[in-house]
Amino acid sequence: MRIDRTTVPGGGMLHHIVTRAGGRLCVLVTRDGERQVFVYDDDSDEPAKELVLAPDEADGVAEILHSRPIADRVRSLERRVDALIGERAS
């Protein structure tokens, strides 16, 4: 997957994403935290579909797409911190 980032005049960041299979989409993150997702057809430079996500909706989609749930990632980080603290005490 390739991700290119572009700063948008007036504030925000546009993330251009191309998957290994050639699928294309863009995610526009505005200054106020809104996300707009643009999905493209194979041959077009114009988006075929636009979805607007509020910050909590974007968090929900991110949780679904992430390979491990947030709770699992937090537990893993806690174990790492405990190990580091243990090493320092030694």
Side-chain angles (χ1 to χ4, degrees):
M1 181 169 75
R2 188 180 81 235
I3 302 174
D4 297 315
R5 292 166 183 83
T6 306
T7 302
V8 176
M13 182 69 68
L14 186 62
H15 304 263
H16 303 269
I17 302 163
V18 179
T19 67
R20 287 185 191 111
R24 295 183 307 135
L25 64 122
C26 289
V27 178
L28 173 62
V29 181
T30 64
R31 279 188 178 167
D32 63 359
E34 185 177 86
R35 269 73 169 163
Q36 294 175 318
V37 179
F38 303 95
V39 180
Y40 294 83
D41 286 334
D42 292 337
D43 302 352
S44 179
D45 287 335
E46 294 293 320
K49 185 75 175 172
E50 175 186 354
L51 303 170
V52 178
L53 301 174
D56 63 322
E57 294 173 319
D59 289 342
V61 171
E63 178 67 15
I64 291 167
L65 292 175
H66 204 283
S67 59
R68 291 187 321 170
I70 289 174
D72 290 349
R73 290 183 277 157
V74 168
R75 279 192 291 276
S76 175
L77 289 171
E78 288 171 340
R79 284 192 295 272
R80 288 184 193 174
V81 168
D82 289 344
L84 288 171
I85 291 171
E87 288 175 9
R88 284 187 165 174
S90 301

